[in-house]
Amino acid sequence: MLVRDAMSTVVLTIGPAHTLRQAARLMAARRVGAAVVLDPDTSGLGILTERDVLVSLGAGQDPDLESAAAHTTTDVVFAAPTWTLEEAADTMAHGDFRHLIVLDAQGPVGVVSVRDIIRCWTPGRRRTEAALAG
């Protein structure tokens, strides 16, 4: 199975000036664990995860004052839609992260998470998919 078969195509994009509270609200509303941070000034892509928000809160920082830019990972590893799930899982395990932004030639097309991969590899999920296909 390929990354494109497992990824979420709901790509939440935010700007670096969003506050952590704004980012958390948007992630919660869309039921996603990460947001792609697009910085128009640098043409760069980064990722802000729910863990980044929790670390900030745990450190006693104010989510209404902290910007996404201050907590965004900019040294991002990207996946291609044609990667296998094994390649994505191996990359996540070795990089110690739970989300990969999926890029094609036009830009971000999805996000794949550990949860997405587990859902694809769970036997009950395969039975459900087979029943829907048949």
Side-chain angles (χ1 to χ4, degrees):
M1 189 172 272
L2 302 178
V3 164
R4 71 172 160 243
D5 302 319
M7 71 183 190
S8 170
T9 56
V10 176
V11 180
L12 172 61
T13 57
I14 63 172
H18 276 79
T19 67
L20 289 187
R21 184 177 308 278
Q22 290 170 324
R25 281 187 180 141
L26 291 168
M27 285 189 278
R30 288 170 178 79
R31 301 179 49 89
V32 296
V36 175
V37 181
L38 296 174
D39 188 343
D41 294 333
T42 65
S43 300
L45 283 177
I47 190 166
L48 178 76
T49 67
E50 56 198 358
R51 182 177 290 172
D52 298 324
V53 175
L54 288 173
V55 167
S56 175
L57 290 174
Q61 296 173 334
D62 185 339
D64 292 313
L65 298 177
E66 291 296 313
S67 69
H71 299 277
T72 296
T73 300
T74 56
D75 185 21
V76 181
V77 176
F78 300 101
T82 55
W83 279 17
T84 66
L85 293 186
E86 289 82 3
E87 288 173 298
D90 186 60
T91 299
M92 289 180 195
H94 283 83
D96 196 30
F97 45 82
R98 300 179 298 159
H99 297 86
L100 283 169
I101 299 171
V102 183
L103 291 181
D104 70 7
Q106 283 71 49
V109 293
V111 175
V112 66
S113 69
V114 170
R115 180 176 294 159
D116 295 327
I117 293 170
I118 290 170
R119 284 182 181 148
C120 289
W121 285 347
T122 302
R125 167 81 178 205
R126 285 192 291 267
R127 282 195 299 273
T128 302
E129 288 173 352
L132 292 174

